[in-house]
Amino acid sequence: MPKLSVIVPFYNVQQYAPDTLRSLRLNADRDFEFILVDDHSKDETPAILERAAEDLSDVAQVRYIRHERNGGLATARNTGLDAAQGEYLTFLDGDDWLAPGYFTELVSAMDDLGCDFVRTDHVQATARARSVSRVPIGRRWEVFSPREAILPAHRSTSVDYAYAWAGAYHRRLVDKGLLHFTDGLRTAEDRPWIWRLHREAESFAVVSLLGVFYRRGVASSLTQIGDVRQLDFIRAFDQVIEETAADRDAGRLLPKAVRTYCAIIAHHLSNEDRFEPAVARQLRSMSAAAIKRMPQDALGDALEAMDMDRSSKLRRLRRRVTTTGAAA
Protein backbone atom coordinates (compact mmCIF):
# COMPACT_ATOMS: atom_id res chain seq x y z
CA MET A 1 0.00 0.00 0.00
CA PRO A 2 1.40 3.45 -0.91
CA LYS A 3 1.54 5.90 1.96
CA LEU A 4 -0.14 8.68 -0.06
CA SER A 5 -2.24 8.71 -3.24
CA VAL A 6 -2.38 12.05 -5.08
CA ILE A 7 -5.30 12.41 -7.51
CA VAL A 8 -4.71 15.01 -10.22
CA PRO A 9 -7.42 15.63 -12.88
CA PHE A 10 -6.42 17.48 -16.05
CA TYR A 11 -8.56 19.05 -18.77
CA ASN A 12 -7.20 21.27 -21.56
CA VAL A 13 -4.38 22.68 -19.40
CA GLN A 14 -1.41 22.30 -21.73
CA GLN A 15 -0.18 25.76 -20.67
CA TYR A 16 -0.08 24.89 -16.96
CA ALA A 17 0.35 21.12 -16.77
CA PRO A 18 4.19 21.25 -17.03
CA ASP A 19 4.38 23.40 -13.86
CA THR A 20 2.00 21.05 -12.05
CA LEU A 21 4.00 18.00 -13.07
CA ARG A 22 7.35 19.58 -12.14
CA SER A 23 5.97 20.30 -8.68
CA LEU A 24 4.88 16.66 -8.37
CA ARG A 25 8.45 15.57 -9.13
CA LEU A 26 9.71 17.91 -6.40
CA ASN A 27 7.32 16.13 -4.00
CA ALA A 28 7.94 12.60 -5.22
CA ASP A 29 8.66 9.62 -3.02
CA ARG A 30 8.72 5.90 -3.77
CA ASP A 31 6.02 5.58 -1.15
CA PHE A 32 3.74 8.04 -2.98
CA GLU A 33 1.30 7.25 -5.77
CA PHE A 34 0.45 9.89 -8.42
CA ILE A 35 -2.81 9.25 -10.30
CA LEU A 36 -3.01 11.45 -13.40
CA VAL A 37 -6.53 11.57 -14.84
CA ASP A 38 -7.04 13.20 -18.24
CA ASP A 39 -10.72 14.14 -18.62
CA HIS A 40 -10.70 13.77 -22.43
CA SER A 41 -8.65 16.90 -23.16
CA LYS A 42 -8.71 18.21 -26.71
CA ASP A 43 -5.35 20.00 -26.64
CA GLU A 44 -1.83 18.65 -26.05
CA THR A 45 -2.48 17.73 -22.41
CA PRO A 46 -2.67 13.95 -23.05
CA ALA A 47 0.72 13.90 -24.78
CA ILE A 48 2.24 15.91 -21.90
CA LEU A 49 0.79 13.45 -19.38
CA GLU A 50 2.01 10.38 -21.24
CA ARG A 51 5.57 11.71 -21.17
CA ALA A 52 5.25 12.78 -17.55
CA ALA A 53 3.92 9.41 -16.42
CA GLU A 54 7.02 7.73 -17.81
CA ASP A 55 9.32 10.38 -16.37
CA LEU A 56 7.77 10.35 -12.89
CA SER A 57 7.84 6.56 -12.66
CA ASP A 58 11.56 6.86 -11.80
CA VAL A 59 10.73 8.62 -8.50
CA ALA A 60 7.18 7.58 -7.55
CA GLN A 61 4.39 5.13 -8.33
CA VAL A 62 2.37 6.54 -11.25
CA ARG A 63 -0.90 5.72 -12.94
CA TYR A 64 -2.17 7.55 -16.03
CA ILE A 65 -5.88 7.21 -16.85
CA ARG A 66 -7.64 8.85 -19.81
CA HIS A 67 -11.42 9.26 -19.99
CA GLU A 68 -13.15 8.28 -23.23
CA ARG A 69 -15.42 11.31 -22.83
CA ASN A 70 -15.38 14.46 -20.73
CA GLY A 71 -17.17 14.02 -17.42
CA GLY A 72 -16.16 17.06 -15.38
CA LEU A 73 -13.98 17.53 -12.33
CA ALA A 74 -16.17 15.56 -9.91
CA THR A 75 -16.22 12.52 -12.18
CA ALA A 76 -12.47 12.74 -12.83
CA ARG A 77 -11.75 12.86 -9.11
CA ASN A 78 -14.00 9.82 -8.58
CA THR A 79 -12.01 7.94 -11.22
CA GLY A 80 -8.86 8.71 -9.24
CA LEU A 81 -10.48 7.66 -5.96
CA ASP A 82 -11.54 4.34 -7.46
CA ALA A 83 -7.96 3.68 -8.58
CA ALA A 84 -6.17 4.98 -5.45
CA GLN A 85 -4.52 2.48 -3.10
CA GLY A 86 -2.85 4.79 -0.57
CA GLU A 87 -3.31 4.90 3.19
CA TYR A 88 -3.87 8.63 2.80
CA LEU A 89 -5.35 10.51 -0.16
CA THR A 90 -5.19 14.06 -1.42
CA PHE A 91 -6.02 16.03 -4.55
CA LEU A 92 -4.39 18.59 -6.81
CA ASP A 93 -5.93 20.38 -9.80
CA GLY A 94 -4.11 20.21 -13.13
CA ASP A 95 -3.45 23.96 -13.32
CA ASP A 96 -2.15 24.40 -9.75
CA TRP A 97 1.23 23.55 -8.23
CA LEU A 98 3.01 22.64 -4.99
CA ALA A 99 5.88 23.86 -2.85
CA PRO A 100 8.79 21.37 -2.73
CA GLY A 101 8.49 18.85 0.10
CA TYR A 102 4.88 19.72 0.92
CA PHE A 103 3.55 16.17 0.72
CA THR A 104 6.16 14.89 3.16
CA GLU A 105 4.97 17.45 5.72
CA LEU A 106 1.33 16.61 5.00
CA VAL A 107 1.90 12.88 5.57
CA SER A 108 3.80 13.64 8.77
CA ALA A 109 0.85 15.69 10.03
CA MET A 110 -1.57 12.85 9.29
CA ASP A 111 0.70 10.35 11.05
CA ASP A 112 1.11 12.58 14.12
CA LEU A 113 -2.56 13.53 14.49
CA GLY A 114 -4.20 10.20 13.62
CA CYS A 115 -7.50 11.82 12.60
CA ASP A 116 -9.86 11.19 9.67
CA PHE A 117 -8.68 14.25 7.75
CA VAL A 118 -6.65 17.42 8.01
CA ARG A 119 -7.24 20.79 6.37
CA THR A 120 -4.48 23.19 5.31
CA ASP A 121 -4.11 26.82 4.30
CA HIS A 122 -3.08 27.64 0.72
CA VAL A 123 -1.60 30.37 -1.47
CA GLN A 124 -3.79 32.07 -4.09
CA ALA A 125 -1.83 33.02 -7.20
CA THR A 126 -3.30 35.67 -9.49
CA ALA A 127 -0.79 36.48 -12.25
CA ARG A 128 2.30 37.51 -10.23
CA ALA A 129 0.39 38.41 -7.06
CA ARG A 130 0.33 36.03 -4.09
CA SER A 131 -1.98 36.00 -1.07
CA VAL A 132 -2.52 33.50 1.73
CA SER A 133 -5.99 32.00 2.21
CA ARG A 134 -6.47 30.42 5.62
CA VAL A 135 -8.90 27.84 6.93
CA PRO A 136 -11.40 29.94 8.96
CA ILE A 137 -10.60 28.11 12.21
CA GLY A 138 -8.27 29.35 14.91
CA ARG A 139 -7.63 25.97 16.54
CA ARG A 140 -4.49 24.46 14.98
CA TRP A 141 -2.81 21.07 15.42
CA GLU A 142 -5.69 19.93 17.64
CA VAL A 143 -8.03 17.04 16.84
CA PHE A 144 -11.73 17.69 17.31
CA SER A 145 -15.14 16.89 15.84
CA PRO A 146 -15.81 18.09 12.26
CA ARG A 147 -19.46 18.63 13.22
CA GLU A 148 -18.35 21.28 15.73
CA ALA A 149 -16.75 23.27 12.91
CA ILE A 150 -19.92 23.74 10.82
CA LEU A 151 -21.35 26.52 13.01
CA PRO A 152 -21.92 29.36 13.84
CA ALA A 153 -24.32 30.17 11.02
CA HIS A 154 -23.43 33.85 10.87
CA ARG A 155 -19.68 33.37 10.35
CA SER A 156 -17.43 31.82 7.74
CA THR A 157 -16.59 28.31 8.94
CA SER A 158 -14.80 25.21 7.74
CA VAL A 159 -17.65 24.15 5.40
CA ASP A 160 -17.17 27.45 3.54
CA TYR A 161 -13.53 26.52 2.89
CA ALA A 162 -14.46 23.78 0.46
CA TYR A 163 -11.22 23.18 -1.46
CA ALA A 164 -10.74 19.42 -1.69
CA TRP A 165 -7.01 19.79 -2.41
CA ALA A 166 -6.42 21.75 0.81
CA GLY A 167 -5.76 18.76 3.03
CA ALA A 168 -5.40 14.99 3.24
CA TYR A 169 -7.87 12.19 4.01
CA HIS A 170 -7.55 8.76 5.59
CA ARG A 171 -8.51 5.72 3.53
CA ARG A 172 -11.20 4.80 6.04
CA LEU A 173 -13.24 7.72 4.66
CA VAL A 174 -13.25 6.03 1.24
CA ASP A 175 -14.35 2.78 2.89
CA LYS A 176 -17.23 4.66 4.57
CA GLY A 177 -18.31 6.23 1.26
CA LEU A 178 -17.50 9.78 2.34
CA LEU A 179 -14.83 10.86 -0.17
CA HIS A 180 -16.54 10.44 -3.54
CA PHE A 181 -18.10 13.45 -5.24
CA THR A 182 -21.56 13.76 -6.77
CA ASP A 183 -20.96 12.40 -10.25
CA GLY A 184 -21.45 14.87 -13.10
CA LEU A 185 -21.49 18.10 -11.06
CA ARG A 186 -19.70 20.71 -13.18
CA THR A 187 -19.30 23.36 -10.49
CA ALA A 188 -19.60 23.61 -6.69
CA GLU A 189 -18.74 19.90 -6.56
CA ASP A 190 -16.81 20.52 -3.33
CA ARG A 191 -19.87 21.85 -1.45
CA PRO A 192 -21.95 18.69 -0.85
CA TRP A 193 -18.66 16.87 -0.37
CA ILE A 194 -17.33 19.14 2.42
CA TRP A 195 -20.69 19.24 4.20
CA ARG A 196 -20.91 15.43 4.16
CA LEU A 197 -17.38 15.16 5.55
CA HIS A 198 -18.14 17.51 8.40
CA ARG A 199 -21.45 15.85 9.25
CA GLU A 200 -20.27 12.23 9.08
CA ALA A 201 -16.51 11.97 9.70
CA GLU A 202 -15.44 11.52 13.32
CA SER A 203 -12.30 13.62 13.66
CA PHE A 204 -10.25 16.28 11.91
CA ALA A 205 -7.64 18.94 12.50
CA VAL A 206 -6.37 22.12 10.87
CA VAL A 207 -2.63 22.39 10.32
CA SER A 208 -0.59 25.46 9.44
CA LEU A 209 1.01 24.19 6.24
CA LEU A 210 1.37 26.30 3.10
CA GLY A 211 2.09 24.08 0.15
CA VAL A 212 -0.64 24.38 -2.50
CA PHE A 213 -0.57 27.28 -4.97
CA TYR A 214 -4.07 27.82 -6.36
CA ARG A 215 -4.04 29.55 -9.72
CA ARG A 216 -6.84 32.15 -9.98
CA GLY A 217 -8.21 33.83 -13.09
CA VAL A 218 -7.38 31.04 -15.55
CA ALA A 219 -9.32 31.85 -18.72
CA SER A 220 -10.22 28.22 -19.38
CA SER A 221 -11.43 27.62 -15.82
CA LEU A 222 -15.14 26.93 -15.52
CA THR A 223 -15.45 29.69 -12.93
CA GLN A 224 -14.47 32.16 -15.69
CA ILE A 225 -16.94 30.83 -18.25
CA GLY A 226 -20.56 32.03 -18.15
CA ASP A 227 -22.30 29.04 -19.67
CA VAL A 228 -25.01 26.74 -18.31
CA ARG A 229 -22.52 24.51 -16.47
CA GLN A 230 -22.18 27.27 -13.87
CA LEU A 231 -25.77 26.64 -12.81
CA ASP A 232 -24.83 23.27 -11.33
CA PHE A 233 -24.25 25.19 -8.08
CA ILE A 234 -28.03 24.97 -7.61
CA ARG A 235 -28.02 21.19 -7.85
CA ALA A 236 -25.03 21.10 -5.49
CA PHE A 237 -26.68 23.27 -2.82
CA ASP A 238 -30.03 21.51 -3.19
CA GLN A 239 -28.11 18.38 -2.21
CA VAL A 240 -26.59 20.16 0.79
CA ILE A 241 -30.05 21.27 1.96
CA GLU A 242 -31.65 17.86 1.39
CA GLU A 243 -28.94 15.90 3.20
CA THR A 244 -28.65 18.40 6.06
CA ALA A 245 -32.44 18.36 6.53
CA ALA A 246 -32.18 14.60 7.16
CA ASP A 247 -29.40 15.02 9.75
CA ARG A 248 -30.04 14.47 13.46
CA ASP A 249 -29.01 18.09 14.09
CA ALA A 250 -31.05 19.56 11.23
CA GLY A 251 -32.57 22.23 13.46
CA ARG A 252 -29.13 23.59 14.29
CA LEU A 253 -27.40 23.07 10.94
CA LEU A 254 -30.04 24.05 8.37
CA PRO A 255 -29.83 27.80 9.08
CA LYS A 256 -26.13 27.70 8.14
CA ALA A 257 -26.83 25.75 4.94
CA VAL A 258 -29.65 28.10 3.91
CA ARG A 259 -27.63 31.24 4.63
CA THR A 260 -24.74 29.95 2.55
CA TYR A 261 -27.06 28.98 -0.32
CA CYS A 262 -28.65 32.44 -0.26
CA ALA A 263 -25.26 34.13 -0.29
CA ILE A 264 -24.15 32.09 -3.32
CA ILE A 265 -27.37 32.84 -5.23
CA ALA A 266 -27.00 36.55 -4.47
CA HIS A 267 -23.38 36.46 -5.64
CA HIS A 268 -24.34 34.96 -8.99
CA LEU A 269 -27.24 37.39 -9.44
CA SER A 270 -24.87 40.31 -8.80
CA ASN A 271 -22.60 39.01 -11.56
CA GLU A 272 -25.22 37.81 -14.02
CA ASP A 273 -23.92 40.09 -16.78
CA ARG A 274 -21.02 37.66 -17.24
CA PHE A 275 -23.47 34.93 -18.24
CA GLU A 276 -24.83 34.38 -21.71
CA PRO A 277 -28.31 36.06 -21.89
CA ALA A 278 -30.22 32.77 -22.03
CA VAL A 279 -28.20 31.41 -19.11
CA ALA A 280 -28.85 34.59 -17.08
CA ARG A 281 -32.59 34.10 -17.55
CA GLN A 282 -32.23 30.48 -16.51
CA LEU A 283 -30.22 31.58 -13.47
CA ARG A 284 -33.06 33.83 -12.29
CA SER A 285 -35.70 31.17 -12.93
CA MET A 286 -33.76 28.37 -11.22
CA SER A 287 -32.82 30.62 -8.29
CA ALA A 288 -36.47 31.54 -7.76
CA ALA A 289 -37.42 27.86 -7.74
CA ALA A 290 -34.59 27.11 -5.30
CA ILE A 291 -35.86 29.81 -2.92
CA LYS A 292 -39.30 28.22 -3.03
CA ARG A 293 -37.81 24.83 -2.06
CA MET A 294 -35.85 26.12 0.92
CA PRO A 295 -37.16 25.77 4.49
CA GLN A 296 -39.09 29.03 4.68
CA ASP A 297 -38.44 29.83 8.35
CA ALA A 298 -34.68 29.47 7.85
CA LEU A 299 -34.95 31.46 4.62
CA GLY A 300 -36.71 34.34 6.38
CA ASP A 301 -34.01 34.45 9.06
CA ALA A 302 -31.28 34.37 6.40
CA LEU A 303 -32.80 37.29 4.49
CA GLU A 304 -33.10 39.32 7.69
CA ALA A 305 -29.41 38.80 8.42
CA MET A 306 -28.13 39.74 4.95
CA ASP A 307 -27.14 43.22 3.82
CA MET A 308 -29.78 45.30 2.00
CA ASP A 309 -28.41 44.83 -1.51
CA ARG A 310 -28.29 41.04 -1.41
CA SER A 311 -31.49 40.57 0.57
CA SER A 312 -33.38 42.86 -1.84
CA LYS A 313 -32.37 40.71 -4.81
CA LEU A 314 -33.54 37.57 -3.09
CA ARG A 315 -36.75 39.12 -1.75
CA ARG A 316 -37.69 40.13 -5.30
CA LEU A 317 -37.25 36.53 -6.39
CA ARG A 318 -39.27 35.33 -3.39
CA ARG A 319 -42.13 37.72 -4.23
CA ARG A 320 -42.00 36.56 -7.83
CA VAL A 321 -42.47 32.96 -6.69
CA THR A 322 -45.29 33.90 -4.30
CA THR A 323 -47.08 36.00 -6.93
CA THR A 324 -46.75 33.29 -9.58
CA GLY A 325 -48.03 30.67 -7.17
CA ALA A 326 -51.03 32.81 -6.18
CA ALA A 327 -51.90 33.47 -9.82
CA ALA A 328 -51.77 29.79 -10.59
Side-chain angles (χ1 to χ4, degrees), residues 147 151 153 244-257 298 301:
R147 186 173 286 259
L151 300 176
T244 304
D247 188 88
R248 66 181 185 270
D249 289 327
R252 294 176 54 240
L253 301 181
L254 265 178
K256 171 66 175 177
D301 292 342

Side-chain angles (χ1 to χ4, degrees), residues 44-104:
E44 293 301 311
T45 300
I48 294 170
L49 295 181
E50 287 177 10
R51 292 193 296 270
E54 183 176 353
D55 178 58
L56 288 170
S57 64
D58 293 339
V59 291
Q61 302 173 50
V62 183
R63 293 193 64 181
Y64 170 49
I65 304 169
R66 186 159 198 262
H67 282 173
E68 292 299 319
R69 61 183 180 85
N70 179 260
L73 180 59
T75 301
R77 284 176 174 168
N78 287 343
T79 295
L81 286 168
D82 290 340
Q85 299 179 14
E87 179 183 358
Y88 306 139
L89 303 96
T90 191
F91 304 93
L92 181 67
D93 285 352
D95 52 4
D96 297 335
W97 76 96
L98 306 163
Y102 167 66
F103 283 152
T104 299

Side-chain angles (χ1 to χ4, degrees), residues 306-317:
M306 296 179 82
D307 62 81
M308 184 64 69
D309 181 58
R310 293 187 300 168
S311 66
S312 295
K313 287 183 172 65
L314 298 181
R315 288 180 195 278
R316 283 196 294 271
L317 283 181

